[in-house]
Amino acid sequence: SAMVWVKKMVAFALGVGLSQAFDGDVPSLRRPESLAFAAPAASFIAGKTADGKCGLLAPTKSSRMPCAARMSPLMMGRAAAVRAATKGKTDAAKAKLNARYGKQIVMLVKVGGSDPVANRALSKLIDQAKSAGVPKANIDNILKKASAKDSADYKESVFEAYAHGGVGFVITVLTDNNNRASADVKTVMNKQKLKPAESGSVAFNFDKLGMITVLTGLDEDSMTDAALDAGAQDLAAISEPETEADAGFYIYTAPTDLMGVADVLREAGMTVKDTEFVYKGKAPIACSEGDEELNFNAMDAFEELDDVDAVFHNME
């Protein structure tokens, strides 16, 4: 009857073998323990059933592949891909950090010589580079090259751009070839559909500050007291540190107070990992997820340029 046919179809859909669903008795659908995964069609063998009826013989053991075996390489590699991408970004950030210190060391050598004893500013920068994780061998090579007569002469410059969703970008550059750097930055702007801005038209929405990265286990109240006593203006906890050893704070200062505050914090026994000048948005701008994604893509593109030191934005 039609009802029996429907019942057999439902049984097969739920996993009962073909021959059992259509030639044998249908088990109760209220007993899930009696059901098994239906095997793929290729695992059935044509022939006759035990009662002489022609049909397909259900296998004694399902050949259904386990879940992991059925995953595509992309699905199985997703976690690995995320780790690889994260590691790639971490490696790129380290390379950028090493390059920045290298260029700054060259600039100070040009001004005051390559002897850290005689060049106090250079001595501090070298200590800071070591704290930031720049290998000693790298620093020694940079000092050697910086002393050569034909060594590169690096200059700082700033580019500004209107990004997506009304956001502003300030791009800082440290380069030995300003024409190359300018051309590369403008190429990224065009590809990322950003609008170049006149000098100051975006930067006025930012405060230029000194920023000190301090690694410490102090709580926020204790760190606030120490930072204010040292002459700082503000601070913010490092969000999502990779390890407990990377926990700490960003300490903000007036540009002219940067090195002085860093010295006070060092004397207080704190680990100063980095000091730099940053542009901090005065009034963060809210933008859509789509615009935010486009802006982050643009920032990544800028940061891939060797001459670009950092990219600052005023997104929330």
Side-chain angles (χ1 to χ4, degrees):
S1 66
M3 183 59 68
V4 173
W5 177 259
V6 171
K7 196 172 183 181
K8 290 176 182 290
M9 290 294 290
V10 171
F12 175 59
L14 289 175
V16 178
L18 277 173
S19 63
Q20 188 178 1
F22 290 93
D23 291 331
D25 294 330
V26 179
S28 171
L29 300 183
R30 296 184 181 181
R31 296 175 62 194
E33 67 273 12
S34 68
L35 303 179
F37 286 118
S43 66
F44 289 93
I45 304 174
K48 291 186 177 182
T49 59
D51 57 4
K53 296 178 181 180
C54 291
L56 297 175
L57 299 178
T60 57
K61 183 178 180 181
S62 172
S63 62
R64 186 181 181 88
M65 290 183 293
C67 182
R70 288 182 286 108
M71 288 183 176
S72 69
L74 177 61
M75 292 173 65
M76 294 183 68
R78 175 167 291 181
V82 170
R83 287 193 296 271
T86 301
K87 182 179 183 302
K89 285 198 171 186
T90 301
D91 291 344
K94 288 181 179 179
K96 181 69 73 174
L97 183 70
N98 290 348
R100 174 157 61 87
Y101 275 112
K103 293 175 183 178
Q104 290 176 344
I105 288 173
V106 171
M107 293 172 70
L108 288 182
V109 169
K110 292 277 188 181
V111 173
S114 60
D115 183 2
V117 176
N119 190 339
R120 190 164 178 267
L122 176 62
S123 177
K124 285 186 176 181
L125 184 60
I126 291 174
D127 289 341
Q128 185 176 299
K130 291 178 180 178
S131 297
V134 180
K136 183 178 183 299
N138 287 25
I139 295 173
D140 292 341
N141 287 336
I142 293 166
L143 289 171
K144 184 177 180 180
K145 291 180 180 179
S147 301
K149 293 182 179 180
D150 58 348
S151 63
D153 190 11
Y154 292 99
K155 303 291 183 183
E156 295 176 299
S157 57
V158 177
F159 295 87
E160 302 172 37
Y162 297 105
H164 301 278
V167 170
F169 279 177
V170 175
I171 304 109
T172 58
V173 167
L174 200 55
T175 181
D176 60 343
N177 188 326
N178 197 61
N179 290 334
R180 179 192 64 219
S182 179
D184 289 346
V185 168
K186 289 178 180 177
T187 296
V188 171
M189 288 185 187
N190 290 334
K191 288 184 176 180
Q192 299 296 324
K193 300 188 184 323
L194 309 182
K195 183 181 178 182
E198 296 293 330
S199 178
S201 59
V202 169
F204 85 94
N205 291 309
F206 294 76
D207 288 321
K208 185 177 181 180
L209 301 171
M211 188 178 81
I212 306 165
T213 303
V214 175
L215 303 183
T216 177
L218 290 177
D219 59 43
E220 188 168 351
D221 288 340
S222 299
M223 189 68 242
T224 298
D225 291 340
L228 293 178
D229 288 344
Q233 295 182 350
D234 198 3
L235 61 76
I238 296 175
S239 61
E240 300 180 1
E242 292 183 10
T243 67
E244 288 186 11
D246 296 317
F249 297 87
Y250 297 119
I251 312 297
Y252 296 101
T253 74
T256 54
D257 295 337
L258 176 62
M259 299 312 297
V261 173
D263 285 343
V264 173
L265 295 175
R266 284 193 189 95
E267 291 169 2
M270 298 183 190
T271 300
V272 175
K273 182 179 180 181
D274 196 11
T275 59
E276 59 186 313
F277 294 109
V278 300
Y279 289 84
K280 188 178 180 183
K282 296 177 181 178
I285 294 174
C287 60
S288 68
E289 289 186 8
D291 286 335
E292 185 179 69
E293 184 68 20
L294 291 172
N295 287 335
F296 281 129
N297 288 341
M299 291 172 65
D300 287 342
F302 280 124
E303 290 173 352
E304 288 177 1
L305 300 177
D306 291 338
D307 290 322
V308 169
D309 182 41
V311 183
F312 301 97
H313 64 83
N314 57 352
M315 287 186 289
E316 281 188 345

